[in-house]
Amino acid sequence: MERRGITVGIDLGTTYSVVAHIDPATKAPAVIPNELGQRTTPSVIAFGRDGSVQIGSKAKTRSEMGDADTASFYKLEMGSPSFKVSLAGRDMNAAALSGLFLKELIAQCEKSLGQKIARAVITVPAYFEDPERNATIEAGRLAGIEVMGVINEPTAAAIAYGLKETAGINKILIYDLGGGTFDVTAAQVSKDAVTVLGCGGNHYLGGKNWDEVICGWVCEQFEEQFGVSPAEDKETYNSLMVKAEKAKQLLSASEYADISVSYEGHSGRYRLTESVFRELSADLLDITHKTILRLFEDIGIDWKDIDGVILVGGSTKMKMVPDYIRRMTGREPLKGVDPDEAVAIGAAIQAETEQYCAVKTLGGGQRGFLMGADRSAYNMAQLKGAKFISDVTAHSLGMISVSEDGSRFVNDIMIKKNTPLSKAEVVKRRELEVSKGKEQELEIYLLQGDAERPADCTAAKKYVFGGIEFVEGGKTLLDITYRYTADGTIDIKALQTETGRELDRREEPVPEDMSWTEEPPAAGQKQIVSDTGGVLYMALDLSDSMSGAPLQMAKESMKNFADQFDLARINIGIAGFANKSKIWLEATSDRNEIMKAIDTIDQCWLGYGTTAEPLSVILPKIKRYRYAGFRYVVVLTDGGWYDGADKKALKIREEYVRRDIEIVGLGFGTADYNFLKKLSTRSELASVGDISGLDRELLKIARIIKE
Ligand code: ADP
Ligand code: MG
């Protein structure tokens, strides 16, 4: 159903929220003020006795006065099944609270614009997991608007920045320090695209922690002077927190702030200088620093690669933040985007782009969150600065599986963190035992997180697949597709290969008690994990003797070899070795990537002689495929291995044998047949011949692997 009204972008913040739209007169983004004329609205709700709802500054004041019928910081509880507040006789979760807040905020914005608001793009922190994203979408729905989609806050900020001149700016860092959270994102910005490279963050770090530091300092001074601490009394402490926040904001503009507090008949007044404030909170700033370094490590970049830094969030107004950026980059943070408004403005641009694309490409006001190139083709003409966005997954997606030895449940990661959303889709073929005349169902629990123990991850979803038909032999093969949508939410489907039919899917709430994942699995539970696909690594000798024709021929043979396999069933990775060894491509089922990696393997050139072996770098990658039907490493080399590389390889081979990972060595040129035979776990496949015969040898291996 199409709603009538305009399209907006909403930054639904932990502490403050902002609504923006594209002004039709100027075609420029503009913030829509609330009923008090403010551009940012405190994300606080207060309930009246009569059930009326107040939001924003009025509600915040009531909350500061100690009114119990108020709610704030509920965004931190988004999607949490156990969070409920009872206000004015109503039980509400965070989505319901956000929905009420949004409904009122939207009504105020409609009044100040004189127009109805029909739909919105809402922003979420990049680290929000599936339940939090869905709760945000639910909040918008409860507020009575159509949620076109959710996008990540830092991505929105980058889009807002894109309206400005981007000349000379390539890789940017978005540093978002809000009221209760810290979010950092690295992105590549070009004239018409924002490509997110990776993100990181801290759920529990924000302006509030800086307020606490000030509060703590005041309480200490007070206690020294009077022997009692205002922290002993909750009400006094709460009102001190309000003063601390005000003092903090003052320190962003002046050199000192005075804070006075009265408790148990004593009154104290303390002057906090900006430099003392900095010292007191140095540890907090350092947490943001460490988070950034971790992100850099994850995506393989460094401060020197960063051309500009965008500051987002009210807390980046603290002088120590831009100073820190200057220290790390040697230049000023990028200007021209208001830290309070950037996110909402980016969301408004995105919403408008989306709306335009949807109308253009899908018709009938359907929502089209287009991730394809067609999107960028449309957007520029209509809206200056609109960008094609390519975001990444903030969390690894895995499922609860049984460990290789059957002893425990583990998180089997299928889509890794910081994978581009457009590529965040994998198909896994799994074998399931089916018995005649028995209704068969398959339960799948999806996890978000990188830890091996399911209990250390977020159990994001539970799906039950039904309608599985019996097949002769009692074993069926299911193709299960796992993917992230453009919203960063999870989607999954399953196909029974024998019937070609998609299975019925139902979503069930994730049980609160997941302690069973800590217990040993029952015998029958192993069947859902058997993965009949395989993984194959090709390791190519890149020593100097290979350069020229041999390398070209080897590349052609490798491509032919890769094309022998059904990539729905197998992942292929590439490594190079010479005087070092290196993973050139982690195993993937993306044919384009595999071909590209083979084509560009010259660029991986590592040095002259063969003094390194490839097995040690491949082992940690390949051993992760615990349930693969087969795991193979094919080593291609044109000469002897020196400086102990051969001995080292034979040593690591033992580990391969222990794990049932197969090695096949193929040689040409001056390669040593005896060595390759010893190295290969399938020694009958090892061979040494002319490079022109490589194709034939590889095809033979492909045939055997496929069997
Ligand atoms: P969120 O997105 O989490 O709602 P915001 O980006 O609106 O948060 O930032 C709110 C935080 O910014 C609060 O902790 C507030 O105290 C802080 N803040 C706002 N203005 C200033 C300022 N001038 N100086 C320092 N901190 C500020
Ligand atoms: Mg924010």
Side-chain angles (χ1 to χ4, degrees), residues 11-18 40-41 43 60 73 75-76 153 176-181 206-211 244-253 277 312-319 339-340 343:
D11 171 6
L12 183 57
T14 313
T15 44
Y16 290 93
S17 295
V18 183
T40 63
T41 304
S43 307
K60 191 175 180 194
F73 288 101
K75 179 174 170 180
L76 302 176
E153 288 164 8
D176 179 355
L177 189 58
T181 55
K208 213 178 168 188
N209 300 91
W210 271 261
D211 302 344
E245 187 188 1
K246 297 212 166 100
K248 175 188 72 177
Q249 299 192 358
L250 195 58
L251 288 173
S252 297
F277 176 46
V312 183
S315 299
T316 60
K317 291 179 187 163
M318 295 188 294
K319 289 178 192 165
D340 288 331
V343 171

Side-chain angles (χ1 to χ4, degrees), residues 350-473:
Q350 184 59 19
E352 184 82 0
T353 310
E354 201 107 321
Q355 167 79 357
Y356 183 68
C357 288
V359 171
K360 276 288 188 209
T361 60
L362 301 173
Q366 276 184 71
R367 167 164 114 75
F369 210 98
L370 305 179
M371 296 302 287
D374 42 349
R375 173 179 209 159
S376 58
Y378 287 115
N379 58 23
M380 258 34 82
Q382 190 69 355
L383 181 68
K384 202 172 108 223
K387 289 194 191 300
F388 170 66
I389 57 174
S390 157
D391 221 318
V392 298
T393 62
H395 305 277
S396 298
L397 176 65
M399 64 175 276
I400 297 182
S401 293
V402 177
S403 64
E404 195 173 11
D405 59 6
S407 68
R408 62 188 196 287
F409 288 105
V410 292
N411 173 22
D412 186 10
I413 293 179
M414 292 165 304
I415 299 176
K416 274 186 296 198
K417 183 178 164 172
N418 287 333
T419 302
L421 286 181
S422 55
K423 287 189 185 159
E425 174 168 326
V426 293
V427 183
K428 292 267 177 166
R429 181 161 288 190
R430 289 175 192 275
E431 195 178 80
L432 185 74
E433 280 172 27
V434 280
S435 38
K436 211 166 198 156
K438 203 171 124 202
E439 183 77 31
Q440 194 90 20
E441 288 196 329
L442 173 65
E443 277 182 4
I444 290 185
Y445 287 88
L446 296 180
L447 300 171
Q448 288 187 301
D450 289 298
E452 210 208 0
R453 280 176 59 210
D456 296 335
C457 301
T458 300
K461 296 251 184 206
K462 177 186 178 188
Y463 287 109
V464 182
F465 288 102
I468 302 169
E469 286 178 31
F470 176 75
V471 288
E472 277 321 312

